[in-house]
Amino acid sequence: MAPTLWRRAARRSSLQRRDEIEKLFQSALGGITVYVRSPDQRWTYYYAHLAGYAPGVREGMAVAAGDRLGYVGDTGDAGTGNYHLHFGVSRMQPGQRWWQGEEVNPYPLLARARPSR
């Protein structure tokens, strides 16, 4: 199992912020998942198909860029041996819960966060 490194890539532009693990969840489609909410409650970051959670990970826990959340896996509908991380971003409205929100393309956020060489 390889550690997930996406937490760092996805959040490089806001290293000073402390997001919160809103929900640890298991489903038939996403398998083992983590939902992380931004401090301003406007964004949810979704990590799915994990093999398992990193030690100590729990709901309500504050996390920042570089924190290990879990391990890349093939749970849910990923298919046996298709190890990968499904990363998603949702724009949230006031009062929306972890499964709600409008999905947005994460690529522009990740591309903008790339370190310069």
Side-chain angles (χ1 to χ4, degrees):
M1 288 184 282
T4 60
L5 301 176
W6 284 90
R7 188 73 191 139
R8 174 165 295 156
R11 304 300 306 171
R12 184 173 296 283
S13 64
S14 58
L15 291 173
Q16 306 306 315
R17 294 171 36 163
R18 300 291 291 177
D19 297 339
E20 182 177 303
I21 295 176
E22 185 166 5
K23 187 70 175 175
L24 302 177
F25 189 69
Q26 293 191 32
S27 70
L29 295 177
I32 299 171
T33 63
V34 177
Y35 291 81
V36 176
R37 183 72 72 108
S38 66
D40 62 9
Q41 303 290 302
R42 293 176 46 206
W43 300 96
T44 293
Y45 307 98
Y46 172 72
Y47 304 83
H49 305 300
L50 301 175
Y53 302 118
V57 166
R58 67 189 184 289
E59 290 180 9
M61 178 179 163
V63 293
D67 291 348
R68 184 172 295 163
L69 302 178
Y71 302 93
V72 174
D74 62 352
T75 60
D77 70 351
T80 303
N82 293 320
Y83 297 97
H84 71 282
L85 175 68
H86 178 145
F87 175 70
V89 177
S90 293
R91 183 178 292 114
M92 309 300 287
Q93 297 300 319
Q96 286 185 318
R97 304 281 310 276
W98 55 273
W99 71 89
Q100 300 170 316
E102 173 192 356
E103 294 179 2
V104 299
N105 180 357
Y107 181 79
L109 300 171
L110 295 171
R112 187 173 53 226
R114 287 184 69 180
S116 59
R117 292 186 180 200

